[in-house]
Amino acid sequence: MIVNMALKRIADFHGHLCPDLVLGGKLCEYIQQRLPPTEPANGITAIIAENSTSALDAIQIMLGTTLGNQRLKIMDIGKHNYTIIPKSVATSFRMRLTVQDYENEETYQRLSGKMLANTIVMDEVVNLQILLDERVKYLLRQPPESLFRIESIEKEPQIPEVPSIYLTCCRCNEQVLGSHAVNYQDKIYCISCLQQMNAGCLRDHLH
Ligand SMILES: [Zn+2]
Ligand SMILES: [Zn+2]
């Protein structure tokens, strides 16, 4: 069970308690259990998350792997799957969310759809919040091992924090991280300039 203090800390940081945040909390709890006792949770080399939901706030607060220290990487394909690369264990592991059968799924999807489309009315907002709260309670009751499936994987290469090298884009004259710059016809471009140039090419071809 996530200790109440940890839960309060992540909810305070995130701004509210929501299902994705609780999933993130449960994930961290499971990771902490799975790491050898000698390994501090904040010593994890990297976590690769396959989503960009509220769960990431729980990870950053509970494990100290953040976007800023580059120990949290996002490969957003919209799944609650995570690759954990610890420092001292020989194998990294992957955690995948098991299929969850929530109650009132149909109503939840209908109301969420209206929320996204901005057509939701006050009564429905209240109902949606009730459903969200039910999911939070349901998830809090689940042991982490019933929420996530663990698979061992071969140790992935270390992902050290790389020094930032900046290059200057020849088109907009702004500095761009070397890892994000593109060398095109022997000149350095940032991605947005390259996209604009390509859009221009496309337009020219159409005429
Ligand atoms: Zn949230
Ligand atoms: Zn540019």
Side-chain angles (χ1 to χ4, degrees), residues 169 172 190 193:
C169 170
C172 66
C190 70
C193 280

Side-chain angles (χ1 to χ4, degrees), residues 143-197:
E145 56 275 19
S146 80
L147 292 174
F148 292 96
R149 220 174 42 236
I150 291 193
E151 287 163 21
S152 292
I153 49 169
E154 291 303 306
K155 186 154 175 72
E156 306 220 341
Q158 302 262 317
I159 308 176
E161 189 173 348
V162 282
S164 306
I165 297 166
Y166 289 94
L167 301 173
T168 305
C169 170
C170 69
R171 189 164 176 264
C172 66
N173 226 16
E174 289 175 355
Q175 289 195 309
V176 53
L177 273 174
S179 53
H180 288 61
V182 182
N183 190 324
Y184 176 66
Q185 294 181 338
D186 282 336
K187 285 182 180 155
I188 298 294
Y189 292 92
C190 70
I191 290 170
S192 59
C193 280
L194 209 64
Q195 275 173 343
Q196 284 164 29
M197 284 161 58

Side-chain angles (χ1 to χ4, degrees), residues 117-160:
N118 242 338
T119 55
I120 197 161
V121 297
M122 194 46 97
D123 278 1
E124 293 171 326
V125 174
V126 173
N127 288 338
L128 181 59
Q129 190 56 53
I130 291 170
L131 291 180
L132 282 166
D133 290 344
E134 278 172 11
R135 286 182 182 208
V136 164
K137 280 187 207 143
Y138 161 82
L139 290 169
L140 282 172
R141 279 196 308 269
Q142 306 308 308
E145 56 275 19
S146 80
L147 292 174
F148 292 96
R149 220 174 42 236
I150 291 193
E151 287 163 21
S152 292
I153 49 169
E154 291 303 306
K155 186 154 175 72
E156 306 220 341
Q158 302 262 317
I159 308 176

